[in-house]
Amino acid sequence: MSMTGNDELVRRISNLEEQDKILTKSLNELTISTERIAMATETMQEAIKALTERDRKIHNIEIELARIDTTLKIVKFIGAAIVLAVLGLGMEVFIGAKEVVDASQTPVEAF
């Protein structure tokens, strides 16, 4: 081979080495990007787990609130029934007392 042939071979080897450096740098950047994507994916999975747990807790709270609401409605109903029963008993006592008063009066006193 002549000098120009050797020079061409040296130039090609130099170009290949330069391309190898560029490819190695690109591969390193790709590896770093892949690691970042893996970390971001893991973070997102943890966030999804946390949100799922939060949604489950919210659902349980909603169920408990519905139970409390139902209990309050029952208590209101029972309270209203007690009030009506007391009023009814009071009316019976009042009517009974009025009848006693009416019976003790003479017809003239009643007017």
Side-chain angles (χ1 to χ4, degrees):
M1 284 193 152
S2 66
M3 273 309 257
T4 56
N6 282 339
D7 290 341
E8 180 65 23
L9 187 59
V10 167
R11 189 183 64 74
R12 284 185 180 183
I13 290 173
S14 177
N15 285 343
L16 288 174
E17 287 174 344
E18 198 60 37
Q19 288 176 358
D20 183 51
K21 286 180 187 177
I22 292 170
L23 289 174
T24 302
K25 183 180 177 187
S26 296
L27 181 61
N28 289 338
E29 290 173 358
L30 182 61
T31 302
I32 291 169
S33 295
T34 303
E35 289 171 356
R36 287 181 181 161
I37 289 170
M39 289 171 49
T41 301
E42 185 178 331
T43 302
M44 285 179 13
Q45 287 173 340
E46 290 172 7
I48 289 169
K49 285 179 186 176
L51 287 173
T52 302
E53 180 65 19
R54 192 192 95 208
D55 286 348
R56 188 188 62 76
K57 287 179 181 178
I58 288 172
H59 181 69
N60 288 343
I61 289 169
E62 288 172 342
I63 290 170
E64 195 59 35
L65 286 174
R67 287 180 186 155
I68 290 170
D69 185 53
T70 301
T71 303
L72 286 174
K73 286 178 182 175
I74 291 169
V75 168
K76 280 178 164 179
F77 179 77
I78 292 171
I82 291 171
V83 167
L84 289 175
V86 168
L87 286 175
L89 183 61
M91 289 299 292
E92 285 184 30
V93 169
F94 175 74
I95 291 170
K98 185 176 179 197
E99 288 175 1
V100 169
V101 170
D102 288 347
S104 68
Q105 293 177 342
T106 63
V108 174
E109 291 174 336
F111 288 106

